[in-house]
Amino acid sequence: MKLFRFFVAIVLGLFALTHPVQAADEAPWYDIELILFKQEASGSEATENWPEDPGSPDWTDAVTLLPPSSEEILQPYTLLPKANWQLNAQFNALQRTRAGMEPLFHQAWRQPVAASRAAENIYLGPDLVKKNGAPPPPFEGLIKISVSRYLHVELDVLLRGANNNLPFNTLDTLSSPTRGSIRFHANRRMRSGELHYIDHPRIGALILISRVELPEPEPLPPPEDVAPGTSAPIPETSPQAPEKPTPTPATN
């Protein structure tokens, strides 16, 4: 009986270890397109009290988006070519507007979307790669996308120098990279194929998530039928006529 319980414990432990990997392998794939923009505060929002130091998102184990690839089979979290972007008109409108909106980020990528326990945090920033030791960028954050019955998006973005009640000072940010920042944290439920807007007094986000069907890999050609214990047949060749001897001239 003790041996049986020990066996069950091992099986359950192996399932717990392998289940997230299996979920990621079988997860559906989506194209994600995201626009982040800064909004100028007005009215009562201009005097709203924000925390002096809102803290920082947890960058630990965050995934970095990969540059576009010309290969037919994309790796997860690979950026899509700009020809595949669908929100260019919205981004251009934000650039032209005089309503105090400033675009910060516009990218699109393809990824598998797994259940919440297996979903990955993705790093967002001007350089797409977090550079330790460098001066902090004007904004950076994380996005995590998961799926259950609906799609779920979690955003955690830090906008530096946005706290109007606290003067922005480079020396302060070097000693405390989050001081004087405003942190935008949102969790939303979404549907595939619909454009969603996430609002905040100082930061806004437009996000479009579209389901994609990956092409099936071409099957390998079946091997030739060979009977067990025998080798593959050797192709027959037509027999060649024996060479005729070259006559030797007679000598006197």
Side-chain angles (χ1 to χ4, degrees), residues 4-175:
F4 175 76
R5 290 178 179 175
F6 179 73
F7 174 77
V8 171
I10 292 177
V11 171
L12 292 176
L14 290 174
F15 177 81
L17 290 173
T18 59
H19 188 261
V21 176
Q22 292 171 350
D25 290 342
E26 299 171 0
W29 284 63
Y30 290 83
D31 285 349
I32 318 296
E33 188 165 356
L34 174 67
I35 295 175
L36 296 175
F37 55 93
K38 181 170 65 173
Q39 303 184 115
E40 292 296 331
S42 60
S44 60
E45 296 173 354
T47 57
E48 186 171 349
N49 290 323
W50 301 99
E52 182 175 316
D53 192 336
S56 172
D58 184 5
W59 319 111
T60 307
D61 299 328
V63 173
T64 299
L65 293 172
L66 303 175
S69 172
S70 59
E71 298 180 3
E72 293 184 2
I73 301 177
L74 293 180
Q75 296 294 324
Y77 310 104
T78 298
L79 293 170
L80 297 175
K82 290 188 176 182
N84 294 15
W85 295 8
Q86 301 184 58
L87 301 182
N88 291 317
Q90 288 81 354
F91 184 80
N92 293 335
L94 285 170
Q95 288 183 314
R96 294 192 303 265
T97 185
R98 298 182 179 179
M101 298 180 181
E102 177 187 343
L104 298 172
F105 179 92
H106 184 198
Q107 289 291 348
W109 65 93
R110 182 168 293 178
Q111 68 167 89
V113 176
S116 178
R117 64 180 178 274
E120 300 273 10
N121 276 316
I122 302 171
Y123 175 77
L124 305 174
D127 299 322
L128 298 178
V129 177
K130 184 164 180 60
K131 299 179 179 179
N132 296 322
F139 79 94
E140 55 185 341
L142 298 171
I143 184 171
K144 182 167 71 173
I145 304 169
S146 60
V147 64
S148 54
R149 184 177 179 183
Y150 294 92
L151 291 163
H152 294 268
V153 174
E154 185 175 350
L155 268 174
D156 192 356
V157 180
L158 194 69
L159 184 61
R160 291 189 171 90
N163 190 341
N164 294 333
N165 300 322
L166 191 65
F168 183 73
N169 187 298
T170 304
L171 295 178
D172 289 339
T173 59
L174 290 176
S175 60

Side-chain angles (χ1 to χ4, degrees), residues 192-234:
S192 174
E194 296 182 0
L195 179 60
H196 293 265
Y197 170 52
I198 303 177
D199 192 20
H200 180 273
R202 301 303 309 276
I203 311 171
L206 292 172
I207 182 167
L208 176 65
I209 305 177
S210 306
R211 178 75 178 265
V212 292
E213 296 295 338
L214 300 182
E216 293 290 338
E218 295 184 2
L220 297 175
E224 296 183 3
D225 294 334
V226 179
T230 62
S231 58
I234 301 175

